[in-house]
Amino acid sequence: MSDSGGSWLDTAYGLLSTSQRRYALYYFLNNEDASLDELVEEISEWESDVAPESIRIALHHNHLPQLAEHGIVEYVDSDIRVTSKFDALRSTVAQARAIEDDSRSTQSPLMFGSGSESVSEPVSED
């Protein structure tokens, strides 16, 4: 990941922008490595309406290669290990998880703005 502020933020939020990649990053908050099967199982719990095989294909062909391209994970066959570059992203991932957990527990849409100007905006998922 680039060290410059804007580029770093673009990369960090880009990596968090899709649910399955975000859930994989959440898994790595507490785990240094995983198999593809473990990640599929974990993400299936978050996205119970998505077939596990669909999750596996998306991880294998899209999400894990993107994380590897940015040096966040090393991905060989079905073995995934976080690298030291994940540490730069760890607090941002933890914040995203806390926000997502909070919004799931209250079952309310995310609110943008303040006071009477608040507008509920849908959150799109890729």
Side-chain angles (χ1 to χ4, degrees):
M1 289 183 41
S2 173
D3 289 338
S4 68
S7 294
W8 186 90
L9 282 174
D10 289 344
T11 300
Y13 289 121
L15 293 174
L16 289 165
S17 69
T18 61
S19 60
Q20 292 177 3
R21 191 167 47 243
R22 192 168 55 249
Y23 300 151
L25 290 169
Y26 293 170
Y27 181 85
F28 289 123
L29 286 171
N30 298 313
N31 301 280
E32 294 295 315
D33 54 38
S35 69
L36 184 57
D37 289 339
E38 288 170 329
L39 276 183
V40 169
E41 183 177 328
E42 183 75 17
I43 293 169
S44 291
E45 290 179 22
W46 282 79
E47 292 191 345
S48 59
D49 58 334
V50 179
E53 189 58 26
S54 177
I55 293 170
R56 176 183 303 285
I57 290 167
L59 284 171
H60 178 74
H61 291 288
N62 184 8
H63 305 308
L64 294 173
Q66 283 187 18
L67 292 172
E69 178 182 320
H70 290 288
I72 304 301
V73 300
E74 293 173 343
Y75 175 52
V76 178
D77 297 323
S78 67
D79 297 320
I80 306 112
R81 174 174 282 286
V82 293
T83 69
S84 60
K85 288 190 177 186
F86 179 71
D87 291 337
L89 191 61
R90 186 178 297 276
S91 66
T92 304
V93 172
Q95 283 182 314
R97 171 114 196 221
I99 291 167
E100 192 153 16
D101 286 348
D102 186 50
S103 71
R104 284 178 185 261
S105 69
T106 61
Q107 294 297 312
S108 65
L110 292 176
M111 300 297 285
F112 297 94
S114 61
S116 63
E117 302 159 353
S118 292
V119 177
S120 178
E121 293 288 334
V123 177
S124 64
E125 297 289 333
D126 289 343

